[in-house]
Amino acid sequence: MTKESLERIDVEGMYEAVRSFPEQLREGRRRALQAETSGWPGTDINGVVVAGMGGSAIGGDILLALGADQATIPIAVSRSYSLPAWVGPNTAVVTSSYSGNTEETLAAFDDACVRGAKVLAISTGGELAAKAKEQNVPLVSLPAGIQPRAALPHSLSALLTVTEPLRLTAVEPEHWAEAVSITRRQSEIMANLADPENPAITLAGALHGHFPVIYSSEQYAAANTRWRNQMHENAKSLAVGNLLPEMNHNEVMGWARFQPELKQLAVVVLRDMEDHARTQRRMDVTRSLLEPHAQSWHEVWSEGSSRLARLLSIMYVSDWVSLYLAIMNNTDPSPVGLISRLKAALVEG
């Protein structure tokens, strides 16, 4: 990996976007704290729905993970045109679209308003911002000019901040500071192209030319999704994944015949110190059974004390690995041509 090859292929500057993640997280939190959302969501809230797609929905997955053992009302992430049937006047609905023009999210916004839900919008502008103004709905504005998936620090900060009054998570101010500190240190290490032991470049090299399979615990489903999506959008490499312990009850049998094609699978297991003890044991046993038949097997451990820091630390690695894999694939990590063509075809009817 050289600076010259990076600059030649990374035309739109994804390297700098990834490198600035810690500062974006710090700035995103600052901006979110200053946003005008007084009166939202009100009282007697019986549930929270985060409506979004792609990078704008990952924040909802993180909120769900952080609130798993804290929230006393249900949290749902809706990646569709309509909302769950239980959404009503006492439901808080956050509609998140970086561009403000995501058709599924716009439809969900309309659906939420028709049902009289407590709605809030997160966006850089577009039609969602216009609808929010028209409906007198609070809007948290994000900075423009970033790829939506690279704007996660801003959209996540906005979501976690506006939902704080609901006490869905146990995130404290010091947890934000820890997340910034850890990702900053990770950035310094993984941005170093000259380091022959750069862990992100090393892992990208192991995945290059092979089929990534991402495994994690159920508690790290958000990180699992982020890893796969970063492989898809940045590296333009198809990746699949699954969760433990569920994977032990079905998918593991897909390895049973030890067919030659398994040698195309490069497995990445996301691990965390708070994973259930039995799940950690399952991960170890699963590795002992399957690793000899895979092309390679890798473990990535989260870092930090707080759950916020640990989740973001393990997700941030995927930003770097997918970026370097894109360079190895000789493809610019920023453009998403097939997505653009698909959207254009949908506009035509």
Side-chain angles (χ1 to χ4, degrees):
M1 183 66 60
T2 65
K3 181 180 179 181
E4 291 72 24
S5 63
L6 178 74
E7 292 177 344
R8 175 177 56 83
I9 299 170
D10 182 25
V11 177
E12 298 186 30
M14 182 61 75
Y15 175 88
E16 286 302 320
V18 171
R19 189 184 62 79
S20 65
F21 183 103
E23 297 313 311
Q24 286 191 55
L25 185 63
R26 181 184 58 80
E27 177 63 11
R29 173 64 170 169
R30 185 192 67 80
R31 289 172 61 103
L33 287 170
Q34 295 178 350
E36 178 51 56
T37 61
S38 58
W40 187 91
T43 59
D44 299 322
I45 300 301
N46 60 13
V48 179
V49 177
V50 181
M53 303 297 298
S56 296
I58 290 292
D61 294 331
I62 296 174
L63 175 65
L64 188 60
L66 294 174
D69 56 4
Q70 178 75 18
T72 57
I73 57 176
I75 304 170
V77 182
S78 178
R79 290 176 165 89
S80 186
Y81 293 90
S82 58
L83 300 171
W86 51 264
V87 171
N90 292 326
T91 310
V93 177
V94 180
T95 52
S96 179
S97 167
Y98 183 77
S99 69
N101 296 314
T102 307
E103 67 172 58
E104 297 94 334
T105 309
L106 293 172
F109 179 95
D110 292 340
D111 191 16
C113 289
V114 167
R115 301 195 205 183
K118 309 291 195 302
V119 187
L120 180 140
I122 299 174
S123 182
T124 60
E127 192 174 346
L128 182 60
K131 283 178 174 286
K133 182 177 181 180
E134 178 184 329
Q135 297 288 338
N136 196 30
V137 163
L139 170 69
V140 179
S141 296
L142 305 180
I146 311 171
Q147 284 284 342
R149 59 192 180 276
L152 174 63
H154 287 284
S155 59
L156 173 64
S157 296
L159 176 61
L160 294 185
T161 301
V162 300
T163 55
E164 279 181 358
L166 295 172
R167 302 185 182 278
L168 302 173
T169 75
V171 175
E172 301 291 344
E174 58 267 27
H175 300 163
W176 287 97
E178 183 191 26
V180 171
S181 176
I182 287 177
T183 54
R184 183 179 289 136
R185 184 184 59 78
Q186 288 179 304
S187 180
E188 292 171 356
I189 293 172
M190 291 184 284
N192 187 354
L193 297 172
D195 181 5
E197 297 183 359
N198 183 316
I201 295 177
T202 300
L203 182 51
L207 300 182
H208 184 229
H210 301 286
F211 194 88
V213 179
I214 315 300
Y215 290 139
S216 71
S217 68
E218 176 72 29
Q219 289 73 21
Y220 268 65
N224 196 308
T225 299
R226 177 68 171 181
W227 267 80
R228 286 180 280 119
N229 286 351
Q230 291 297 79
M231 293 293 169
H232 298 155
E233 293 194 72
N234 286 345
K236 297 5 177 229
S237 292
L238 188 63
V240 298
N242 209 335
L243 309 173
L244 278 80
E246 176 66 20
M247 172 267 184
N248 283 175
H249 295 266
N250 36 64
E251 184 176 310
V252 69
M253 289 308 301
W255 292 74
R257 291 189 297 111
F258 305 135
Q259 56 267 39
E261 54 264 36
L262 294 179
K263 284 299 180 182
Q264 293 301 312
L265 305 184
V267 178
V268 178
V269 184
L270 311 181
R271 304 203 59 170
D272 179 72
M273 64 182 184
E274 276 192 0
D275 283 337
H276 193 284
R278 294 298 293 171
T279 298
Q280 295 201 46
R281 174 59 178 157
R282 284 177 177 275
M283 288 179 170
D284 293 337
V285 174
T286 299
R287 177 171 188 167
S288 69
L289 294 173
L290 305 188
E291 181 179 14
H293 309 287
Q295 191 277 329
S296 59
W297 196 282
H298 314 271
E299 291 188 348
V300 178
W301 282 84
S302 62
E303 300 181 43
S305 300
S306 67
R307 188 171 298 177
L308 176 65
R310 299 202 314 276
L311 259 173
L312 293 184
S313 72
I314 208 165
M315 294 170 78
Y316 189 39
V317 176
S318 73
D319 295 1
W320 285 106
V321 172
S322 60
L323 165 68
Y324 291 136
L325 184 56
I327 304 307
M328 295 175 187
N329 287 339
N330 197 33
T331 183
D332 188 343
S334 294
V336 284
L338 282 178
I339 294 177
S340 299
R341 287 168 56 189
L342 191 152
K343 289 181 178 179
L346 288 172
V347 169
E348 294 174 0

